[in-house]
Amino acid sequence: MLQQDWIWGLIGGLMIGSAGALFLLMNGRIMGASGIIGGLVDGSGRGNWGERLAFLAGLVLFPPVLAGLYQTVDTRLTDNVWLLAAAGLLVGFGTRLANGCTSGHGVCGISRLSWRGLAATMVYIAAGGVIVLLFRHWLGVI
Amino acid sequence: MQRLIFAALSGALFGAGLLVSGMVDTVKVQGWLDVFGAWDPTLAFVMGGAIVPMFIAWRVAERRKTAVLGTPIPAKPAQRLDRNLVIGSLMFGAGWGLVGLCPGPALAAAFLNGSSGLIFLVAMLAAMVATPALRRAMP
């Protein structure tokens, strides 16, 4: 970690939390990325699809504009097709079964002092830690 | 119309925060999970920073009962640790660790991740479409 990374992490985190606060206080919605897009694609969020689509438009379109303004961003994503497909399926099924991901359970759940959110967050961080240990340090594939 | 504007603003600010915090960098995210290697604590600062405004927002929201644009504040779900919460979070964490992407950054970096990001997104969306059927098939 570079020395200034934690400062940018904190600033970015405050922005993420402010985005969630805005969505909650203005629209009365919980800012959970998997729930917003999941409800749109499986039809369960038909009642407020416009709001979901508007949120996703901001989320998908603004970062590349911002990235183009100040620097090129290297996301360092793997190009291993099998890893990508497996990870996508696991993240898709997992977040919808658990009703939340890092934003929903992590940011919005923990801040509401929700034990479910805290428990989910501890479980997915632990699972991610085990997978990185296994695939990076034992198998050496990531 | 107001609802759509605030939803788009919130999405844009969320995406900007993910970019600024470095959470679109998949190696940094995997670094947070790499407790036994070169551990990168940045994600803890991001999560901590995000929880502060959200904590205040929840206090305000629960007092108001209704959002500014009229929607009732969502009720707190029953605090029960059911099987799907645990199994789902295990699956999600595994996928997150494999490539360093969770849904927010995967969407925020949809145009920054190239074709690799597209493969991930297609798989994720397919699984999301199939989840209601999976839920029904589960014993």
Side-chain angles (χ1 to χ4, degrees):
Chain A
M1 179 171 100
L2 294 173
Q3 244 163 10
Q4 67 271 31
D5 278 12
W6 69 270
I7 302 175
W8 287 115
L10 198 60
I11 295 170
L14 287 167
M15 292 165 73
I16 294 167
S18 304
L22 184 71
F23 205 34
L24 179 67
L25 294 174
M26 292 308 298
N27 292 45
R29 304 283 181 217
I30 293 173
M31 191 190 74
S34 58
I36 292 169
I37 187 145
L40 200 62
V41 295
D42 73 9
S44 62
R46 220 174 282 132
N48 50 18
W49 65 271
E51 206 173 10
R52 291 168 189 266
L53 212 57
F55 180 90
L56 291 170
L59 174 58
V60 171
L61 299 176
F62 190 54
V65 174
L66 198 61
L69 283 182
Y70 70 101
Q71 61 187 42
T72 28
V73 177
D74 186 1
T75 60
R76 295 193 278 177
L77 181 61
T78 179
D79 53 10
N80 183 319
V81 175
W82 299 108
L83 282 180
L84 288 163
L89 290 173
L90 283 166
V91 170
F93 280 126
T95 54
R96 292 304 279 155
L97 270 185
N99 276 321
C101 56
T102 333
S103 45
H105 279 315
V107 175
C108 297
I110 292 176
S111 64
R112 197 181 197 181
L113 309 180
S114 156
W115 290 109
R116 266 176 70 84
L118 182 64
T121 303
M122 290 193 304
V123 171
Y124 64 68
I125 288 178
V130 169
I131 287 295
V132 169
L133 178 67
L134 200 68
F135 280 76
R136 175 169 290 171
H137 297 292
W138 289 353
L139 301 171
V141 290
I142 61 171
Chain B
M1 194 60 202
Q2 274 177 313
R3 301 193 69 86
L4 300 185
I5 292 170
F6 282 103
L9 279 176
S10 171
L13 185 57
F14 180 34
L18 288 168
L19 190 75
V20 167
S21 64
M23 292 299 102
V24 295
D25 181 346
T26 57
V27 174
K28 274 193 89 59
V29 173
Q30 283 177 317
W32 155 257
L33 297 170
D34 194 3
V35 183
F36 298 98
W39 187 58
D40 184 330
T42 308
L43 190 138
F45 290 96
V46 182
M47 193 68 104
I51 284 173
V52 173
M54 232 12 245
F55 178 80
I56 300 167
W58 276 121
R59 298 285 83 74
V60 176
E62 270 153 14
R63 196 165 315 131
R64 288 182 49 104
K65 311 261 193 276
T66 312
V68 175
L69 298 177
T71 308
I73 296 301
K76 201 170 179 174
Q79 292 293 301
R80 206 163 43 82
L81 303 184
D82 53 279
R83 189 187 56 170
N84 281 353
L85 185 83
V86 177
I87 296 176
S89 297
L90 283 172
M91 290 172 74
F92 164 43
W96 191 36
L98 275 182
V99 300
L101 277 181
C102 54
L107 292 163
F111 285 112
L112 304 169
N113 278 333
S115 54
S116 295
L118 212 58
I119 296 169
F120 177 91
L121 278 175
V122 168
M124 181 182 89
L125 293 177
M128 285 178 165
V129 171
T131 302
L134 179 77
R135 269 181 192 272
R136 283 193 297 272
M138 279 168 79

